[in-house]
Amino acid sequence: MTVADTTEVLAADAGGIARAAALLADGRLVALPTETVYGLGGDATDGAAVAAIFAAKDRPRFNPLIVHVHDADAARALARFDTAAERLADAFWPGPLTLVLPVRDGAGLSDLVTAGLPTVAIRVPEHPVARAILNAARRPVAAPSANRSGRISPTTAAHVLDGLSGRIAAVVDAGPCGVGVESTIVRTGPKPALLRPGGLPAEAVEACLGHPLAQPDPGAEGVSAPGQLASHYAPEAAVRLDAVTAEPGEVHLGFGPVAGDLSLSASGDLTEAAANLFAHLRRLDARGAGRIAVAPIPDRGLGRAINDRLRRAAAPRGSGASALG
Ligand code: TXA
Ligand code: MG
């Protein structure tokens, strides 16, 4: 895990912005001010950095994260925009609107950012300090709210330090956030839907589109409430958990002392294992075996997140709702 003994408090000036960008480029975690809440930023293309975000937050599940970019052109490099998405981006970016869009092939985002979904949530923040950091970092930045899981979102640098001091490399202190609630999340496509009410009133979105937003359909949508995924990443193959040895016809995903055909982390490092999880499952799945046997993973820290995803992958198929833990 990318931890720091002491968390640097950076001023929101040229020096602080340059330092924040350099830390992000180095795979470290930096809490940054946005107009909504302080975000816990990490390089969205770096699986280990994204895994470290989950570890720092003590987040037990791999919810998909919002990717922050400097401008709409940077967003278009990551995702495909339809007419409605173009209109909304034109009207409300930069600002507290997140668009859920089909991810482009080769976008280069870590699988952990999208939690294996074919879509990605993207936002262009308005806060001048966030914009300056994104401009200097020259990479997409994944950033959930900079709080420990289950706690209230932070709107000052002091709030961030309350929960994350010693767990992240730095926080950039730009004073209190202007908006104070998270961004509004809209999924575009044929029937644009409101996935999360937030800092941009839904009415403004509807006025821009010229029609009401749909309510998300939990089954088809994959998201029943903010942070709640009804559908989960599951490989083609069946999944068997807590497997110390493989049975005939199985490929074996190892961890620690259990070598397997491919190991999540030979040294038993849960952060490394989390960063490898989706890619390794895909790789084993591509071998075409009927079942993937998975070594026992300790149920602590990121291991809880890994086991949560593995349990979803192992749950009876076609039971998305009941697979919700
Ligand atoms: O205001 C905000 O949006 C803050 C600041 C820091 O920018 N960020 C924030 O990010 O709230 P985060 O990562 O906590 O938001 C994640 C939520 C998920 O719980 C889910 O509701 C939604 O974004 N989300 C992300 N990716 C999605 C996807 N592919 N499909 C549907 N919903 C998605
Ligand atoms: Mg949050």
Side-chain angles (χ1 to χ4, degrees):
M1 178 164 125
T2 307
V3 288
D5 291 336
T6 45
T7 296
E8 295 175 42
V9 179
L10 302 173
D13 58 15
I17 286 161
R19 175 78 180 141
L23 286 167
L24 288 168
D26 197 32
R28 312 291 300 282
L29 303 187
V30 178
L32 49 133
T34 82
E35 71 275 23
T36 58
V37 299
Y38 274 73
L40 175 50
D43 182 347
T45 67
D46 177 344
V50 178
I53 292 175
F54 289 97
K57 280 181 71 80
D58 272 341
R59 196 182 255 204
R61 297 212 181 99
F62 291 134
N63 298 327
L65 302 178
I66 295 172
V67 173
H68 298 64
V69 293
H70 180 263
D71 51 44
D73 280 343
R76 286 189 200 97
L78 302 176
R80 295 197 305 275
F81 282 60
D82 62 11
T83 311
E86 288 289 357
R87 190 177 301 167
L88 292 174
D90 196 48
F92 300 117
W93 280 356
L97 173 69
T98 294
L99 294 176
V100 172
L101 304 162
V103 68
R104 265 188 205 288
D105 288 342
L109 297 170
S110 156
D111 282 340
L112 282 176
V113 169
T114 55
L117 294 170
T119 52
V120 59
I122 306 185
R123 148 165 150 73
V124 176
E126 188 169 35
H127 197 292
V129 175
R131 294 178 60 67
I133 293 168
L134 290 168
N135 192 41
R138 303 241 151 252
R139 68 198 63 229
V141 172
S145 52
N147 50 282
R148 296 279 272 274
S149 191
R151 304 290 171 80
I152 295 168
S153 293
T155 54
T156 68
H159 295 167
V160 173
L161 291 168
D162 275 350
L164 299 176
S165 184
R167 296 180 151 240
I168 61 176
V171 56
V172 181
D173 187 354
C177 300
V179 175
V181 294
E182 286 92 342
S183 61
T184 300
I185 304 180
V186 172
R187 194 258 302 134
T188 57
K191 278 180 73 181
L194 180 67
L195 301 188
R196 179 176 78 180
L200 177 67
E203 293 80 357
V205 176
E206 293 177 330
C208 176
L209 290 174
H211 60 75
L213 287 164
Q215 290 304 309
D217 165 1
E221 203 72 53
V223 175
S224 56
Q228 292 251 302
L229 285 177
S231 75
H232 54 274
Y233 176 77
E236 291 289 321
V239 174
R240 185 170 70 87
L241 304 179
D242 292 323
V244 175
T245 56
E247 292 171 6
E250 289 181 339
V251 287
H252 197 190
L253 183 58
F255 177 82
V258 178
D261 297 300
L262 194 61
S263 179
L264 288 172
S265 168
S267 67
D269 177 340
L270 289 168
T271 298
E272 183 189 7
N276 283 332
L277 180 63
F278 288 118
H280 279 21
L281 282 174
R282 279 165 197 249
R283 233 168 263 158
L284 289 180
D285 211 22
R287 297 191 189 181
R291 192 156 70 182
I292 300 172
V294 185
I297 313 288
D299 207 37
R300 60 178 156 76
L302 274 185
R304 284 157 61 206
I306 294 167
N307 284 324
D308 173 79
R309 297 307 295 167
L310 288 170
R311 275 193 295 271
R312 289 161 192 262
R317 302 293 158 81
S319 65
S322 67
L324 263 178

